[in-house]
Amino acid sequence: MTPPKIKCPKCNSNESVEFRGKRYLMYPAGCLMIIGPFVSIIHQATTPIDYECTKCELRFGKRSTVAKVTMCAMILFLLYVISTTFFNTPNPF
């Protein structure tokens, strides 16, 4: 599967940008046991994808739309948990 053409933020060239892969590697088994598989899957889904422009030698990362939506959902969920835990608000559900 070929990644879509990405423009370089510095020189605006889309022909010299090369795909470099995910920024972070997969978790070792010990980390999966500590943080849980659900959290690690969400974290891996939201990690940026690295690209490199061969023209201006800039390395940059981009997140997909799914990753951005997932990050927003995680932040909203954490705000909900914090507000119901520490501010003693009633549960709306």
Side-chain angles (χ1 to χ4, degrees), residues 21-51:
K22 285 277 202 178
R23 182 164 294 175
Y24 307 113
L25 299 175
M26 293 294 291
Y27 292 117
C31 289
L32 282 172
M33 292 175 69
I34 292 170
I35 64 174
F38 182 70
V39 174
S40 63
I41 289 170
I42 289 176
H43 182 264
Q44 287 293 321
T46 60
T47 57
I49 299 171
D50 281 340
Y51 295 94

Side-chain angles (χ1 to χ4, degrees), residues 53-88:
C53 180
T54 56
K55 193 173 184 181
C56 64
E57 297 179 357
L58 176 71
R59 283 190 77 124
F60 60 96
K62 291 261 186 187
R63 283 189 168 91
S64 67
T65 306
V66 173
K68 292 176 185 175
V69 169
T70 305
M71 285 182 63
C72 289
M74 282 179 20
I75 290 169
L76 288 174
F77 178 73
L78 287 174
L79 289 174
Y80 170 74
V81 168
I82 289 170
S83 69
T84 56
T85 303
F86 295 111
F87 297 116
N88 208 8

Side-chain angles (χ1 to χ4, degrees), residues 1-4 16-22 49-52:
M1 183 168 145
T2 306
S16 60
V17 175
E18 294 180 359
F19 174 74
R20 293 292 178 209
K22 285 277 202 178
I49 299 171
D50 281 340
Y51 295 94
E52 182 176 10

